Amino acid sequence: MSFLEILEYSSVFIFALTGALVASRAQLDPVGFFFIAALTAVGGGTVRDLLLDRNPLFWIDKPIVLVIAAVAAMGTFFTAHLLESRLKTLTWLDAAALAVAVPTGVGVAVNHSQEWPIVLIMGVTTGCFGGLMRDVVCNEVPLVLKQGELYISAAFIGAAAAMLAIGAGITQPIALMLCAGVTFALRAGSLALGWSMPAYKSRPPRQ
């Protein structure tokens, strides 16, 4: 199993856990748990593969992905009630999932010989779209769009760090690990320390 495949399966599992936690907050049945977990787990990668015209889609090529999502969903169905704060657990699991999914998208795009702007977009897409779909379908405020938090910015900077590392001659696995570390550090700093990017402030029109 390649390092990129390990990243991909890890991303699927952790994102599926976040989907199942959101399903628990919505009090869904086991089938609902699996649907939301699978949607979250494969959403970003599916958008990425469609944009790259990658055929078959990664979860069709490797159906084990759906089994991983099902295991995460059912495990959460029977244990979510044990968590002291499902929202806090969800937020930090989502940060971990983002940190694994972004380098997965970067690695896939690099292996498909894409130019650096496309690689950056594929990293952000893989990291952000699954969680966005999860939150929209479950009528939650999307974590990716929460005001005053680093999310898309963390994904973008992490992907950029990987591209700079690859451009400097660093091997792909090390570059992807750097991407994961930078992405998680920025997202964690935003959650724990309040790091944020400058936000737009409306101003009265000039007279």
Side-chain angles (χ1 to χ4, degrees), residues 69-99:
V71 169
M74 291 304 97
T76 305
F77 182 82
F78 290 108
T79 61
H81 66 282
L82 301 175
L83 296 172
E84 182 177 346
S85 172
R86 278 176 284 173
L87 180 59
K88 184 175 181 180
T89 303
L90 165 65
T91 303
W92 282 99
L93 273 177
D94 189 83
L98 180 71

PDB file of all heavy atoms in Angstrom, residues 69-99:
ATOM      1  N   ALA A  69     -16.268   3.493   5.510  1.00  0.00           N
ATOM      2  CA  ALA A  69     -17.274   4.470   5.940  1.00  0.00           C
ATOM      3  C   ALA A  69     -18.364   3.799   6.766  1.00  0.00           C
ATOM      4  O   ALA A  69     -18.842   4.361   7.762  1.00  0.00           O
ATOM      5  CB  ALA A  69     -17.876   5.166   4.718  1.00  0.00           C
ATOM      6  N   ALA A  70     -18.768   2.589   6.376  1.00  0.00           N
ATOM      7  CA  ALA A  70     -19.816   1.872   7.106  1.00  0.00           C
ATOM      8  C   ALA A  70     -19.348   1.497   8.512  1.00  0.00           C
ATOM      9  O   ALA A  70     -20.101   1.612   9.480  1.00  0.00           O
ATOM     10  CB  ALA A  70     -20.223   0.617   6.333  1.00  0.00           C
ATOM     11  N   VAL A  71     -18.099   1.071   8.635  1.00  0.00           N
ATOM     12  CA  VAL A  71     -17.553   0.720   9.953  1.00  0.00           C
ATOM     13  C   VAL A  71     -17.532   1.954  10.860  1.00  0.00           C
ATOM     14  O   VAL A  71     -17.928   1.891  12.033  1.00  0.00           O
ATOM     15  CB  VAL A  71     -16.135   0.135   9.801  1.00  0.00           C
ATOM     16  CG1 VAL A  71     -15.445   0.027  11.160  1.00  0.00           C
ATOM     17  CG2 VAL A  71     -16.189  -1.225   9.115  1.00  0.00           C
ATOM     18  N   ALA A  72     -17.093   3.087  10.303  1.00  0.00           N
ATOM     19  CA  ALA A  72     -17.070   4.322  11.085  1.00  0.00           C
ATOM     20  C   ALA A  72     -18.477   4.730  11.507  1.00  0.00           C
ATOM     21  O   ALA A  72     -18.709   5.154  12.645  1.00  0.00           O
ATOM     22  CB  ALA A  72     -16.410   5.432  10.271  1.00  0.00           C
ATOM     23  N   ALA A  73     -19.436   4.586  10.583  1.00  0.00           N
ATOM     24  CA  ALA A  73     -20.810   4.991  10.865  1.00  0.00           C
ATOM     25  C   ALA A  73     -21.423   4.138  11.969  1.00  0.00           C
ATOM     26  O   ALA A  73     -22.033   4.657  12.910  1.00  0.00           O
ATOM     27  CB  ALA A  73     -21.650   4.892   9.591  1.00  0.00           C
ATOM     28  N   MET A  74     -21.266   2.826  11.858  1.00  0.00           N
ATOM     29  CA  MET A  74     -21.885   1.951  12.843  1.00  0.00           C
ATOM     30  C   MET A  74     -21.187   2.037  14.203  1.00  0.00           C
ATOM     31  O   MET A  74     -21.824   1.965  15.260  1.00  0.00           O
ATOM     32  CB  MET A  74     -21.885   0.506  12.342  1.00  0.00           C
ATOM     33  CG  MET A  74     -22.820   0.278  11.148  1.00  0.00           C
ATOM     34  SD  MET A  74     -24.536   0.758  11.474  1.00  0.00           S
ATOM     35  CE  MET A  74     -24.597   2.419  10.754  1.00  0.00           C
ATOM     36  N   GLY A  75     -19.871   2.205  14.175  1.00  0.00           N
ATOM     37  CA  GLY A  75     -19.157   2.389  15.427  1.00  0.00           C
ATOM     38  C   GLY A  75     -19.632   3.627  16.164  1.00  0.00           C
ATOM     39  O   GLY A  75     -19.835   3.615  17.388  1.00  0.00           O
ATOM     40  N   THR A  76     -19.848   4.693  15.415  1.00  0.00           N
ATOM     41  CA  THR A  76     -20.326   5.939  16.014  1.00  0.00           C
ATOM     42  C   THR A  76     -21.774   5.811  16.474  1.00  0.00           C
ATOM     43  O   THR A  76     -22.151   6.367  17.520  1.00  0.00           O
ATOM     44  CB  THR A  76     -20.203   7.093  15.004  1.00  0.00           C
ATOM     45  OG1 THR A  76     -18.854   7.162  14.536  1.00  0.00           O
ATOM     46  CG2 THR A  76     -20.576   8.426  15.641  1.00  0.00           C
ATOM     47  N   PHE A  77     -22.587   5.074  15.727  1.00  0.00           N
ATOM     48  CA  PHE A  77     -23.995   4.885  16.097  1.00  0.00           C
ATOM     49  C   PHE A  77     -24.123   4.310  17.510  1.00  0.00           C
ATOM     50  O   PHE A  77     -25.016   4.696  18.270  1.00  0.00           O
ATOM     51  CB  PHE A  77     -24.676   3.962  15.085  1.00  0.00           C
ATOM     52  CG  PHE A  77     -26.139   3.748  15.341  1.00  0.00           C
ATOM     53  CD1 PHE A  77     -27.080   4.672  14.910  1.00  0.00           C
ATOM     54  CD2 PHE A  77     -26.580   2.619  16.022  1.00  0.00           C
ATOM     55  CE1 PHE A  77     -28.437   4.477  15.147  1.00  0.00           C
ATOM     56  CE2 PHE A  77     -27.934   2.415  16.268  1.00  0.00           C
ATOM     57  CZ  PHE A  77     -28.862   3.346  15.825  1.00  0.00           C
ATOM     58  N   PHE A  78     -23.220   3.398  17.859  1.00  0.00           N
ATOM     59  CA  PHE A  78     -23.317   2.730  19.159  1.00  0.00           C
ATOM     60  C   PHE A  78     -22.492   3.401  20.262  1.00  0.00           C
ATOM     61  O   PHE A  78     -22.608   3.013  21.426  1.00  0.00           O
ATOM     62  CB  PHE A  78     -22.883   1.268  19.020  1.00  0.00           C
ATOM     63  CG  PHE A  78     -23.850   0.430  18.233  1.00  0.00           C
ATOM     64  CD1 PHE A  78     -23.530  -0.003  16.955  1.00  0.00           C
ATOM     65  CD2 PHE A  78     -25.089   0.090  18.762  1.00  0.00           C
ATOM     66  CE1 PHE A  78     -24.422  -0.779  16.222  1.00  0.00           C
ATOM     67  CE2 PHE A  78     -25.990  -0.688  18.039  1.00  0.00           C
ATOM     68  CZ  PHE A  78     -25.662  -1.117  16.761  1.00  0.00           C
ATOM     69  N   THR A  79     -21.678   4.391  19.912  1.00  0.00           N
ATOM     70  CA  THR A  79     -20.800   4.986  20.934  1.00  0.00           C
ATOM     71  C   THR A  79     -20.924   6.496  21.069  1.00  0.00           C
ATOM     72  O   THR A  79     -20.363   7.064  22.015  1.00  0.00           O
ATOM     73  CB  THR A  79     -19.329   4.653  20.629  1.00  0.00           C
ATOM     74  OG1 THR A  79     -18.963   5.195  19.343  1.00  0.00           O
ATOM     75  CG2 THR A  79     -19.089   3.144  20.628  1.00  0.00           C
ATOM     76  N   ALA A  80     -21.629   7.164  20.177  1.00  0.00           N
ATOM     77  CA  ALA A  80     -21.678   8.627  20.199  1.00  0.00           C
ATOM     78  C   ALA A  80     -22.216   9.167  21.524  1.00  0.00           C
ATOM     79  O   ALA A  80     -21.795  10.232  21.987  1.00  0.00           O
ATOM     80  CB  ALA A  80     -22.533   9.147  19.044  1.00  0.00           C
ATOM     81  N   HIS A  81     -23.117   8.404  22.157  1.00  0.00           N
ATOM     82  CA  HIS A  81     -23.719   8.878  23.412  1.00  0.00           C
ATOM     83  C   HIS A  81     -22.709   8.937  24.552  1.00  0.00           C
ATOM     84  O   HIS A  81     -22.965   9.560  25.584  1.00  0.00           O
ATOM     85  CB  HIS A  81     -24.882   7.955  23.804  1.00  0.00           C
ATOM     86  CG  HIS A  81     -24.454   6.563  24.146  1.00  0.00           C
ATOM     87  ND1 HIS A  81     -24.127   5.631  23.184  1.00  0.00           N
ATOM     88  CD2 HIS A  81     -24.282   5.941  25.350  1.00  0.00           C
ATOM     89  CE1 HIS A  81     -23.785   4.501  23.766  1.00  0.00           C
ATOM     90  NE2 HIS A  81     -23.864   4.660  25.086  1.00  0.00           N
ATOM     91  N   LEU A  82     -21.553   8.304  24.385  1.00  0.00           N
ATOM     92  CA  LEU A  82     -20.534   8.299  25.430  1.00  0.00           C
ATOM     93  C   LEU A  82     -19.696   9.570  25.443  1.00  0.00           C
ATOM     94  O   LEU A  82     -18.978   9.826  26.416  1.00  0.00           O
ATOM     95  CB  LEU A  82     -19.604   7.090  25.248  1.00  0.00           C
ATOM     96  CG  LEU A  82     -20.272   5.702  25.278  1.00  0.00           C
ATOM     97  CD1 LEU A  82     -19.251   4.620  24.974  1.00  0.00           C
ATOM     98  CD2 LEU A  82     -20.922   5.460  26.633  1.00  0.00           C
ATOM     99  N   LEU A  83     -19.778  10.341  24.377  1.00  0.00           N
ATOM    100  CA  LEU A  83     -18.956  11.544  24.261  1.00  0.00           C
ATOM    101  C   LEU A  83     -19.531  12.661  25.124  1.00  0.00           C
ATOM    102  O   LEU A  83     -20.739  12.900  25.137  1.00  0.00           O
ATOM    103  CB  LEU A  83     -18.884  12.004  22.808  1.00  0.00           C
ATOM    104  CG  LEU A  83     -18.186  11.038  21.832  1.00  0.00           C
ATOM    105  CD1 LEU A  83     -18.358  11.527  20.397  1.00  0.00           C
ATOM    106  CD2 LEU A  83     -16.713  10.900  22.177  1.00  0.00           C
ATOM    107  N   GLU A  84     -18.654  13.359  25.792  1.00  0.00           N
ATOM    108  CA  GLU A  84     -19.084  14.477  26.635  1.00  0.00           C
ATOM    109  C   GLU A  84     -19.605  15.624  25.787  1.00  0.00           C
ATOM    110  O   GLU A  84     -20.594  16.274  26.115  1.00  0.00           O
ATOM    111  CB  GLU A  84     -17.921  14.949  27.506  1.00  0.00           C
ATOM    112  CG  GLU A  84     -18.279  16.086  28.452  1.00  0.00           C
ATOM    113  CD  GLU A  84     -17.119  16.475  29.348  1.00  0.00           C
ATOM    114  OE1 GLU A  84     -16.148  15.697  29.427  1.00  0.00           O
ATOM    115  OE2 GLU A  84     -17.187  17.546  29.961  1.00  0.00           O
ATOM    116  N   SER A  85     -18.921  15.899  24.682  1.00  0.00           N
ATOM    117  CA  SER A  85     -19.347  16.957  23.773  1.00  0.00           C
ATOM    118  C   SER A  85     -19.146  16.486  22.342  1.00  0.00           C
ATOM    119  O   SER A  85     -18.021  16.439  21.847  1.00  0.00           O
ATOM    120  CB  SER A  85     -18.554  18.245  24.010  1.00  0.00           C
ATOM    121  OG  SER A  85     -18.849  19.205  23.006  1.00  0.00           O
ATOM    122  N   ARG A  86     -20.245  16.113  21.686  1.00  0.00           N
ATOM    123  CA  ARG A  86     -20.133  15.654  20.304  1.00  0.00           C
ATOM    124  C   ARG A  86     -19.704  16.781  19.370  1.00  0.00           C
ATOM    125  O   ARG A  86     -18.982  16.562  18.408  1.00  0.00           O
ATOM    126  CB  ARG A  86     -21.467  15.062  19.846  1.00  0.00           C
ATOM    127  CG  ARG A  86     -21.670  13.623  20.291  1.00  0.00           C
ATOM    128  CD  ARG A  86     -23.035  13.097  19.919  1.00  0.00           C
ATOM    129  NE  ARG A  86     -24.054  13.637  20.806  1.00  0.00           N
ATOM    130  CZ  ARG A  86     -25.363  13.452  20.622  1.00  0.00           C
ATOM    131  NH1 ARG A  86     -25.793  12.762  19.580  1.00  0.00           N
ATOM    132  NH2 ARG A  86     -26.223  13.943  21.477  1.00  0.00           N
ATOM    133  N   LEU A  87     -20.123  18.017  19.667  1.00  0.00           N
ATOM    134  CA  LEU A  87     -19.752  19.138  18.811  1.00  0.00           C
ATOM    135  C   LEU A  87     -18.244  19.395  18.869  1.00  0.00           C
ATOM    136  O   LEU A  87     -17.600  19.610  17.839  1.00  0.00           O
ATOM    137  CB  LEU A  87     -20.518  20.396  19.211  1.00  0.00           C
ATOM    138  CG  LEU A  87     -20.211  21.659  18.382  1.00  0.00           C
ATOM    139  CD1 LEU A  87     -20.509  21.404  16.914  1.00  0.00           C
ATOM    140  CD2 LEU A  87     -21.014  22.836  18.909  1.00  0.00           C
ATOM    141  N   LYS A  88     -17.685  19.372  20.067  1.00  0.00           N
ATOM    142  CA  LYS A  88     -16.242  19.599  20.204  1.00  0.00           C
ATOM    143  C   LYS A  88     -15.463  18.476  19.534  1.00  0.00           C
ATOM    144  O   LYS A  88     -14.471  18.728  18.829  1.00  0.00           O
ATOM    145  CB  LYS A  88     -15.866  19.692  21.688  1.00  0.00           C
ATOM    146  CG  LYS A  88     -14.405  20.032  21.923  1.00  0.00           C
ATOM    147  CD  LYS A  88     -14.124  20.220  23.408  1.00  0.00           C
ATOM    148  CE  LYS A  88     -12.660  20.585  23.636  1.00  0.00           C
ATOM    149  NZ  LYS A  88     -12.373  20.778  25.090  1.00  0.00           N
ATOM    150  N   THR A  89     -15.901  17.235  19.755  1.00  0.00           N
ATOM    151  CA  THR A  89     -15.236  16.098  19.109  1.00  0.00           C
ATOM    152  C   THR A  89     -15.328  16.212  17.603  1.00  0.00           C
ATOM    153  O   THR A  89     -14.345  15.973  16.883  1.00  0.00           O
ATOM    154  CB  THR A  89     -15.879  14.776  19.572  1.00  0.00           C
ATOM    155  OG1 THR A  89     -15.802  14.687  20.987  1.00  0.00           O
ATOM    156  CG2 THR A  89     -15.164  13.584  18.961  1.00  0.00           C
ATOM    157  N   LEU A  90     -16.505  16.585  17.099  1.00  0.00           N
ATOM    158  CA  LEU A  90     -16.709  16.768  15.667  1.00  0.00           C
ATOM    159  C   LEU A  90     -15.745  17.807  15.116  1.00  0.00           C
ATOM    160  O   LEU A  90     -15.113  17.594  14.068  1.00  0.00           O
ATOM    161  CB  LEU A  90     -18.154  17.192  15.400  1.00  0.00           C
ATOM    162  CG  LEU A  90     -18.475  17.771  14.017  1.00  0.00           C
ATOM    163  CD1 LEU A  90     -18.273  16.725  12.942  1.00  0.00           C
ATOM    164  CD2 LEU A  90     -19.911  18.306  13.992  1.00  0.00           C
ATOM    165  N   THR A  91     -15.616  18.932  15.786  1.00  0.00           N
ATOM    166  CA  THR A  91     -14.774  20.019  15.301  1.00  0.00           C
ATOM    167  C   THR A  91     -13.319  19.588  15.180  1.00  0.00           C
ATOM    168  O   THR A  91     -12.656  19.873  14.177  1.00  0.00           O
ATOM    169  CB  THR A  91     -14.891  21.232  16.241  1.00  0.00           C
ATOM    170  OG1 THR A  91     -16.263  21.631  16.336  1.00  0.00           O
ATOM    171  CG2 THR A  91     -14.074  22.397  15.713  1.00  0.00           C
ATOM    172  N   TRP A  92     -12.821  18.878  16.203  1.00  0.00           N
ATOM    173  CA  TRP A  92     -11.418  18.472  16.163  1.00  0.00           C
ATOM    174  C   TRP A  92     -11.189  17.295  15.214  1.00  0.00           C
ATOM    175  O   TRP A  92     -10.134  17.227  14.546  1.00  0.00           O
ATOM    176  CB  TRP A  92     -10.931  18.150  17.570  1.00  0.00           C
ATOM    177  CG  TRP A  92     -10.643  19.403  18.337  1.00  0.00           C
ATOM    178  CD1 TRP A  92     -11.439  20.027  19.248  1.00  0.00           C
ATOM    179  CD2 TRP A  92      -9.478  20.218  18.221  1.00  0.00           C
ATOM    180  NE1 TRP A  92     -10.853  21.175  19.710  1.00  0.00           N
ATOM    181  CE2 TRP A  92      -9.650  21.317  19.106  1.00  0.00           C
ATOM    182  CE3 TRP A  92      -8.308  20.125  17.480  1.00  0.00           C
ATOM    183  CZ2 TRP A  92      -8.684  22.324  19.249  1.00  0.00           C
ATOM    184  CZ3 TRP A  92      -7.340  21.117  17.613  1.00  0.00           C
ATOM    185  CH2 TRP A  92      -7.524  22.198  18.493  1.00  0.00           C
ATOM    186  N   LEU A  93     -12.140  16.379  15.123  1.00  0.00           N
ATOM    187  CA  LEU A  93     -12.018  15.311  14.127  1.00  0.00           C
ATOM    188  C   LEU A  93     -12.029  15.882  12.722  1.00  0.00           C
ATOM    189  O   LEU A  93     -11.288  15.425  11.839  1.00  0.00           O
ATOM    190  CB  LEU A  93     -13.163  14.306  14.284  1.00  0.00           C
ATOM    191  CG  LEU A  93     -12.970  13.164  15.277  1.00  0.00           C
ATOM    192  CD1 LEU A  93     -14.235  12.317  15.342  1.00  0.00           C
ATOM    193  CD2 LEU A  93     -11.773  12.298  14.919  1.00  0.00           C
ATOM    194  N   ASP A  94     -12.853  16.900  12.500  1.00  0.00           N
ATOM    195  CA  ASP A  94     -12.915  17.540  11.192  1.00  0.00           C
ATOM    196  C   ASP A  94     -11.577  18.195  10.855  1.00  0.00           C
ATOM    197  O   ASP A  94     -11.143  18.168   9.701  1.00  0.00           O
ATOM    198  CB  ASP A  94     -14.039  18.575  11.178  1.00  0.00           C
ATOM    199  CG  ASP A  94     -14.305  19.123   9.786  1.00  0.00           C
ATOM    200  OD1 ASP A  94     -15.041  18.463   9.025  1.00  0.00           O
ATOM    201  OD2 ASP A  94     -13.761  20.193   9.452  1.00  0.00           O
ATOM    202  N   ALA A  95     -10.924  18.781  11.857  1.00  0.00           N
ATOM    203  CA  ALA A  95      -9.603  19.376  11.634  1.00  0.00           C
ATOM    204  C   ALA A  95      -8.597  18.306  11.222  1.00  0.00           C
ATOM    205  O   ALA A  95      -7.776  18.522  10.306  1.00  0.00           O
ATOM    206  CB  ALA A  95      -9.133  20.093  12.899  1.00  0.00           C
ATOM    207  N   ALA A  96      -8.659  17.147  11.888  1.00  0.00           N
ATOM    208  CA  ALA A  96      -7.760  16.051  11.533  1.00  0.00           C
ATOM    209  C   ALA A  96      -8.059  15.530  10.128  1.00  0.00           C
ATOM    210  O   ALA A  96      -7.143  15.244   9.345  1.00  0.00           O
ATOM    211  CB  ALA A  96      -7.891  14.923  12.552  1.00  0.00           C
ATOM    212  N   ALA A  97      -9.348  15.423   9.798  1.00  0.00           N
ATOM    213  CA  ALA A  97      -9.735  14.950   8.468  1.00  0.00           C
ATOM    214  C   ALA A  97      -9.256  15.913   7.387  1.00  0.00           C
ATOM    215  O   ALA A  97      -8.758  15.494   6.334  1.00  0.00           O
ATOM    216  CB  ALA A  97     -11.252  14.791   8.395  1.00  0.00           C
ATOM    217  N   LEU A  98      -9.399  17.211   7.644  1.00  0.00           N
ATOM    218  CA  LEU A  98      -8.926  18.213   6.690  1.00  0.00           C
ATOM    219  C   LEU A  98      -7.437  18.056   6.447  1.00  0.00           C
ATOM    220  O   LEU A  98      -6.967  18.106   5.303  1.00  0.00           O
ATOM    221  CB  LEU A  98      -9.226  19.616   7.226  1.00  0.00           C
ATOM    222  CG  LEU A  98      -8.793  20.794   6.342  1.00  0.00           C
ATOM    223  CD1 LEU A  98      -9.683  20.878   5.105  1.00  0.00           C
ATOM    224  CD2 LEU A  98      -8.851  22.105   7.137  1.00  0.00           C
ATOM    225  N   ALA A  99      -6.687  17.828   7.532  1.00  0.00           N
ATOM    226  CA  ALA A  99      -5.239  17.723   7.431  1.00  0.00           C
ATOM    227  C   ALA A  99      -4.782  16.490   6.659  1.00  0.00           C
ATOM    228  O   ALA A  99      -3.673  16.465   6.119  1.00  0.00           O
ATOM    229  CB  ALA A  99      -4.619  17.707   8.832  1.00  0.00           C
TER     230      ALA A  99
END
